[in-house]
Amino acid sequence: MKKITIKDIARELNISTSTVSRALRDSYEIGAETKKRVLELAQQLDYTPDPVALSLLNSHSNDIGVIVPDIANPFFATVIAGIEDVAFAQGYHVVIYQSHDSYEREVLNVKHIFNRRKDGLLVSVAANTHDYSHFKDLHDAGFPLVFFDRICEEIDTHKVSVDDFEGAYNAAEHLIQQGCRSIAHISGPQNLLISRRRLHGYRAALMDYKIPINEDLILASDFDAEHSLLLTRRLLQGNIKIDGICASANSIAIGCHAAIVEAGLSMPQDIALIGFSDLPLAGLFNPPLSTVSQPAFEMGRSAAKLLINLIKKPEDNKMLISNVLKTSLIVRKSSLRNG
Amino acid sequence: MKKITIKDIARELNISTSTVSRALRDSYEIGAETKKRVLELAQQLDYTPDPVALSLLNSHSNDIGVIVPDIANPFFATVIAGIEDVAFAQGYHVVIYQSHDSYEREVLNVKHIFNRRKDGLLVSVAANTHDYSHFKDLHDAGFPLVFFDRICEEIDTHKVSVDDFEGAYNAAEHLIQQGCRSIAHISGPQNLLISRRRLHGYRAALMDYKIPINEDLILASDFDAEHSLLLTRRLLQGNIKIDGICASANSIAIGCHAAIVEAGLSMPQDIALIGFSDLPLAGLFNPPLSTVSQPAFEMGRSAAKLLINLIKKPEDNKMLISNVLKTSLIVRKSSLRNG
DNA sequence: GTGAAAGCGCTAACAT
DNA sequence: ATGTTAGCGCTTTCAC
């Protein structure tokens, strides 16, 4: 595992490094004989060009960066699998960054990505990010950038998301159809577009079914089961009787689930619950958790395709694409009153 | 977000690049006045040294690589969080690689890490890896290397693991104490040391309690809930009645859990189940799943500390450390017959 | 058809 | 105290 360079090959063959370089790149101006000798020796020595040297030279790395809030979230882990699926096939390596929902970490990550000459960036923004100038700067510098899931509207680039409005609408409608009339919505951080869109979907469904909206039943939680547990606990102890909860994320749904069980209420008879963004293990819960499922793998694939196209043919991307994927309702026992 | 180089600073100040370089590194041989002007301008221009150029020069990158089978596995996601915790504090960036339990991917990952001049590697080996020469080559080349969880015995370097034998022993003992007498062990791939050690722990517990070991109750599953589901289903349909299952991993336990529920058997009355490696959501299962919990975060921290020490002071590492962490039994309803 | 030289951004001998 | 030069590994003019 010693580092072999073109110098080693040149010395061995008594030719110059430029000849070696050209032979390796199969240049037309190199004699067939020389070419053959170089290629054979390179093969034999297991030569691979030094990516760092190439990077310094060309300002690219064949790496694409991905920033997600947290890889432990199964949704993001699956999106990343989708990204890797297409990136790997195209010869790119995916470098994963976690923001842990911190603005400061996100800014550091962006700098790292820029400085290390990553070829492009896929990002789902941190919950604590209110200022998008780090992304704006990148984008203005011509750096290929694609948002997914937690997208940033203010920056004109490709985006991949799901129809959050429709997903949340369907979830609320489903609870209504199960007979719920006092439905709470535990939302995510309101600065995130996905949270606001999901909330709008909930409101729209209630309005369409002529159910009065009670603002006291609309809460904003962090994407954190502990916080959601606290909020739900307080909600259940309050004096408004509720019979259904729409949770705006899986982490939030987990907190709700725990709070309902803890309160000794039965699901779905006393309170029906539905989450957003499927969990691979939700089916094993007690009771199994209904959710609005998102095509996470496909989202990753789509975002990666858009980014790679942006990297390879920037000129083909005058028209910005906003790919909105469909969600699907997965009804399990936590919300199914008559199954 | 334009790239600022020392050249820009040098030109602006009418001095040479080496002076700038020295001033930036606070060299004693630079005049206080010059130093001040350089520092100020650098600050103002938001100069940061180009890491790629530095990398080419020094053969290091301030990145450490981590190879795990799969980031979607909560255990590995938590280990990575622990690694990042110490690496970040020491100024290292953690680059995550997934082997997806494929030997070929692992080899590619190792090459990438070596070629990109990562400063060191933390690895938990792929289930399909039988040949360790890619690690051996790295290690022989003096590349800092630390194994965690799925360690490789044959290579003489630092290792961090848990006491798999004891954990599995305690799990089996617990089932015995709950009255189980016909206990199956669904193991992981047998080429992995952790699988074999856990199996040994199981055997030892049964022997200590004078329970005859039935080899037909010992199965090897992939780390995959689907596979485990299939095996458990077949086991339950067989003609040997069992009343307890020790699963050798959380993915395996999930398959067992599903199979038992599917068969309409009650947990823990008909069959008591205990897994290995805690899942954050195991407490919400129906019934909640008992497990042998591993200190994943601490494992990551320990491995990262060992690696960084190896990177910074190779000479201090004549004595190899094998850090074996303790597991703890988390008893939940899936195995608690009289609570 | 092949070699010499410059340069990507930076640092460290080697001058002065 | 500061400038000049070489070199990390590679590609690409520019020569011949």
Side-chain angles (χ1 to χ4, degrees):
Chain A
M1 209 130 192
K2 198 222 144 201
K3 268 247 100 73
I4 304 293
T5 73
I6 48 171
K7 260 187 177 168
D8 299 318
I9 299 181
R11 193 174 339 99
E12 184 84 12
L13 262 36
N14 259 308
I15 54 179
S16 76
T17 56
S18 28
T19 305
V20 176
S21 171
R22 276 186 279 240
L24 255 16
R25 330 203 83 240
D26 198 26
S27 162
Y28 65 96
E29 39 183 6
I30 298 293
E33 172 61 16
T34 321
K35 211 178 266 185
K36 185 159 156 283
R37 292 171 61 217
V38 170
L39 255 35
E40 268 173 7
L41 186 57
Q43 178 91 43
Q44 183 193 324
L45 262 38
D46 192 29
Y47 167 81
T48 32
D50 185 327
V52 178
L54 285 179
S55 210
L56 185 59
L57 205 57
N58 314 319
S59 279
H60 69 74
S61 59
N62 272 307
D63 285 342
I64 62 182
V66 182
I67 306 180
V68 293
D70 184 12
I71 55 168
N73 182 327
F75 170 71
F76 291 118
T78 309
V79 174
I80 289 172
I83 293 170
E84 283 199 334
D85 189 49
V86 336
F88 184 73
Q90 305 257 15
Y92 288 93
H93 182 249
V94 176
V95 182
I96 303 163
Y97 295 77
Q98 300 189 69
S99 65
H100 294 293
D101 274 327
S102 144
Y103 168 72
E104 288 75 21
R105 284 297 280 270
E106 192 175 79
V107 171
L108 285 176
N109 288 339
V110 166
K111 285 197 175 143
H112 197 275
I113 286 166
F114 183 74
N115 286 330
R116 304 299 170 108
R117 295 172 160 72
K118 303 305 178 204
D119 295 0
L121 170 59
L122 293 168
V123 58
S124 193
V125 315
N128 285 336
T129 296
H130 297 80
D131 175 5
Y132 302 104
S133 51
H134 49 310
F135 294 129
K136 192 99 183 61
D137 291 347
L138 257 193
H139 185 239
D140 291 346
F143 197 93
L145 178 62
V146 172
F147 289 96
F148 65 91
D149 189 47
R150 304 199 194 162
I151 64 181
C152 170
E153 278 190 302
E154 302 161 27
I155 295 177
D156 293 325
T157 183
H158 299 322
K159 298 170 176 109
V160 184
S161 56
V162 297
D163 194 333
D164 290 291
F165 177 90
E166 190 189 71
Y169 184 99
N170 292 344
E173 182 179 46
H174 164 66
L175 292 194
I176 294 168
Q177 287 168 346
Q178 295 300 310
C180 301
R181 287 297 173 270
S182 178
I183 303 171
H185 180 87
I186 317 286
S187 183
Q190 285 304 295
N191 55 313
L192 291 177
L193 189 59
I194 53 170
S195 302
R196 298 197 302 273
R197 284 187 173 159
R198 290 173 193 175
L199 179 52
H200 286 149
Y202 158 86
R203 286 183 188 278
L206 266 62
M207 286 176 65
D208 284 356
Y209 282 85
K210 314 256 186 289
I211 296 179
I213 290 170
N214 183 341
E215 297 295 335
D216 292 338
L217 296 186
I218 297 174
L219 304 176
S221 167
D222 293 337
F223 289 133
D224 165 41
E226 287 297 323
H227 189 205
S228 154
L229 173 64
L230 244 61
L231 290 175
T232 310
R233 193 182 277 157
R234 206 179 305 149
L235 189 66
L236 297 178
Q237 289 164 351
N239 42 22
I240 308 170
K241 179 160 165 38
I242 65 171
D243 55 11
I245 301 181
C246 289
S248 191
N250 54 27
S251 50
I252 294 175
I254 289 164
C256 298
H257 195 285
I260 295 170
V261 168
E262 175 191 277
L265 296 167
S266 79
M267 255 183 287
Q269 282 69 32
D270 295 332
I271 298 188
L273 174 64
I274 183 163
F276 206 108
S277 179
D278 201 22
L279 284 165
L281 303 178
L284 298 180
F285 284 15
N286 180 24
L289 178 65
S290 299
T291 56
V292 176
S293 163
Q294 312 186 80
F297 192 84
E298 202 39 48
M299 183 182 280
R301 282 186 52 89
S302 170
K305 277 188 209 162
L306 290 171
L307 182 69
I308 290 174
N309 193 267
L310 201 54
I311 293 169
K312 291 193 171 164
K313 303 184 191 159
E315 68 282 3
D316 280 10
N317 288 272
K318 298 301 169 208
M319 188 148 60
L320 296 180
I321 295 174
S322 203
N323 189 6
V324 180
L325 306 173
K326 288 289 169 195
T327 58
S328 59
L329 206 60
I330 300 194
V331 176
R332 299 198 183 92
K333 283 198 187 150
S334 75
S335 70
L336 191 63
R337 286 184 167 174
N338 27 36
Chain B
M1 208 133 193
K2 197 222 148 203
K3 268 246 102 68
I4 305 293
T5 72
I6 48 171
K7 260 188 179 169
D8 299 319
I9 300 181
R11 194 176 337 103
E12 184 84 13
L13 261 37
N14 258 308
I15 54 180
S16 78
T17 57
S18 36
T19 305
V20 177
S21 171
R22 278 186 279 241
L24 256 15
R25 331 200 87 239
D26 199 26
S27 161
Y28 64 98
E29 38 183 7
I30 298 294
E33 171 62 15
T34 321
K35 211 177 264 184
K36 186 158 155 284
R37 292 171 59 215
V38 170
L39 256 35
E40 270 174 6
L41 187 56
Q43 177 90 43
Q44 183 195 322
L45 262 38
D46 192 29
Y47 167 81
T48 33
D50 185 327
V52 178
L54 285 179
S55 211
L56 186 59
L57 204 56
N58 313 321
S59 279
H60 70 75
S61 58
N62 271 308
D63 284 343
I64 62 183
V66 182
I67 305 181
V68 293
D70 183 13
I71 56 169
N73 183 328
F75 169 72
F76 291 117
T78 309
V79 174
I80 289 172
I83 293 170
E84 282 200 334
D85 189 48
V86 337
F88 184 73
Q90 304 256 14
Y92 288 93
H93 181 249
V94 176
V95 181
I96 302 162
Y97 295 77
Q98 301 189 68
S99 65
H100 294 293
D101 274 325
S102 144
Y103 167 73
E104 288 75 21
R105 283 297 278 270
E106 192 176 79
V107 171
L108 285 176
N109 288 339
V110 166
K111 285 198 175 143
H112 197 275
I113 287 165
F114 183 73
N115 286 331
R116 304 300 171 105
R117 294 170 159 72
K118 302 305 178 204
D119 295 0
L121 169 60
L122 293 168
V123 57
S124 193
V125 314
N128 286 337
T129 296
H130 296 80
D131 175 6
Y132 301 104
S133 50
H134 49 309
F135 294 130
K136 193 100 184 60
D137 291 346
L138 255 193
H139 186 240
D140 290 347
F143 196 95
L145 177 63
V146 173
F147 289 96
F148 66 91
D149 190 47
R150 305 198 194 161
I151 63 181
C152 170
E153 278 190 303
E154 304 162 26
I155 295 176
D156 293 326
T157 183
H158 300 322
K159 300 171 175 106
V160 184
S161 56
V162 297
D163 194 333
D164 291 290
F165 177 91
E166 190 189 72
Y169 184 101
N170 291 344
E173 182 179 46
H174 164 66
L175 292 194
I176 295 167
Q177 287 169 346
Q178 295 299 312
C180 300
R181 287 300 172 267
S182 177
I183 303 171
H185 181 86
I186 318 285
S187 183
Q190 285 304 297
N191 56 313
L192 291 177
L193 188 60
I194 53 169
S195 301
R196 298 196 303 271
R197 284 186 172 159
R198 290 173 193 175
L199 179 52
H200 287 149
Y202 158 86
R203 286 182 188 278
L206 265 61
M207 285 176 65
D208 284 356
Y209 283 84
K210 314 258 187 286
I211 296 181
I213 290 171
N214 183 342
E215 297 295 337
D216 293 337
L217 296 186
I218 298 175
L219 304 175
S221 166
D222 293 337
F223 288 134
D224 165 40
E226 287 296 325
H227 189 205
S228 154
L229 173 64
L230 242 60
L231 290 175
T232 311
R233 193 182 279 157
R234 206 178 306 152
L235 189 67
L236 296 178
Q237 290 165 348
N239 41 23
I240 309 169
K241 182 162 161 37
I242 65 171
D243 56 8
I245 301 180
C246 289
S248 191
N250 53 28
S251 49
I252 294 175
I254 288 165
C256 298
H257 195 284
I260 296 169
V261 169
E262 175 191 277
L265 297 166
S266 80
M267 252 182 293
Q269 282 70 32
D270 295 332
I271 299 189
L273 173 66
I274 182 162
F276 206 108
S277 178
D278 201 22
L279 283 166
L281 303 177
L284 297 180
F285 284 16
N286 180 24
L289 178 66
S290 299
T291 56
V292 176
S293 163
Q294 303 178 269
F297 192 84
E298 202 39 46
M299 183 181 282
R301 283 186 52 89
S302 171
K305 276 188 208 161
L306 289 172
L307 182 69
I308 290 174
N309 193 267
L310 201 53
I311 293 169
K312 291 192 171 163
K313 302 183 191 159
E315 68 283 3
D316 280 11
N317 288 272
K318 297 301 169 210
M319 188 148 61
L320 295 180
I321 296 174
S322 203
N323 190 5
V324 180
L325 306 173
K326 287 289 170 195
T327 58
S328 60
L329 206 59
I330 300 194
V331 176
R332 299 199 182 93
K333 283 198 188 150
S334 74
S335 70
L336 191 63
R337 287 185 166 173
N338 28 36

